[in-house]
Amino acid sequence: MKFEVFGPYYLSTKSIIRRDHVVSLREEVAESDCGGILSTAPGCYVFGVKPSGAQRVIPWYVGKAERQPVIKEATNDQHLQLYNEIFDSYHNGSPALYFLPSTTPKGRPTALATAGGNKPAIEFLEDWLIAACLKTNPLLWNVKKTRLLRELYVRGIFNPRKGDLNTAAGSFKKCIGV
């Protein structure tokens, strides 16, 4: 249950993300040190956009790949269309992808899930990444698995409102380390 982090990998465009941008990205990854891992390992990925002049990439979509390599899943035609819909709202920015492939303790790619199978660690990581990204970007495009994250409310702790923190909630936050 080990995952590496690679990225951000920027798609070199300022307007529409085309198939040739994806091909260039795949070639860049293949030539890098992580090319062997990303081209064979399952895992998770995050698509985001770095607005012009910003310090960080804003996450917009979290995905997972269990039965095919993470780079193949993250750059398929269906996701390319989704990324373009997201990127269309930016006038200046750079689309980017982060990859979190599943590896063995020695750093080798883990096996892909077989037909009908799944990878619980990848499933958990995707859920956790969605929660983390939703916290930094409430407009995250993921719909599945976000209803509870968007609607659950724990006074002063989970989806807090201004002025929510009372003595008990403050004490509990310290207790659980948030």
Side-chain angles (χ1 to χ4, degrees):
M1 290 191 285
K2 178 184 171 198
F3 292 85
E4 294 293 334
V5 179
F6 297 111
Y9 285 96
Y10 292 97
L11 294 152
S12 57
T13 183
K14 296 293 179 193
S15 57
I16 294 173
I17 305 167
R18 295 185 316 265
R19 173 72 28 222
D20 60 309
H21 297 118
V22 170
V23 169
S24 295
L25 173 78
R26 285 183 176 181
E27 289 171 354
E28 178 186 349
V29 168
E31 293 170 6
S32 71
D33 294 340
C34 62
I37 294 172
L38 293 178
S39 64
T40 57
C44 292
Y45 58 93
V46 176
F47 172 79
V49 177
K50 182 177 184 225
S52 182
Q55 297 295 315
R56 68 179 183 91
V57 174
I58 297 170
W60 282 99
Y61 182 77
V62 177
K64 69 176 179 181
E66 294 175 302
R67 294 179 196 95
Q68 64 180 327
V70 66
I71 194 163
K72 186 174 181 183
E73 174 72 21
T75 58
N76 68 27
D77 289 339
Q78 180 183 353
H79 288 111
L80 192 60
Q81 182 178 347
L82 172 74
Y83 302 158
N84 273 315
E85 288 179 39
I86 293 166
F87 191 52
D88 191 45
S89 65
Y90 281 85
H91 299 293
N92 289 309
S94 300
L97 280 162
Y98 284 94
F99 300 102
L100 293 88
S102 174
T103 62
T104 66
K106 292 186 178 182
R108 294 189 198 110
T110 60
L112 299 172
T114 56
N118 66 353
K119 299 264 190 179
I122 292 173
E123 184 83 22
F124 176 84
L125 181 59
E126 181 193 33
D127 292 348
W128 184 85
L129 287 169
I130 288 171
C133 291
L134 194 57
K135 190 173 182 178
T136 55
N137 182 7
L139 301 175
L140 192 71
W141 275 52
N142 291 73
V143 176
K144 291 180 183 177
K145 303 180 183 182
T146 62
R147 182 172 177 223
L148 278 175
L149 293 169
R150 293 178 195 272
E151 296 178 8
L152 183 71
Y153 168 77
V154 178
R155 181 185 183 120
I157 296 164
F158 203 92
N159 290 330
R161 299 178 188 117
K162 191 173 182 174
D164 254 3
L165 196 60
N166 63 12
T167 306
S171 174
F172 185 64
K173 278 181 82 164
K174 288 178 185 173
C175 172
I176 62 174
V178 291

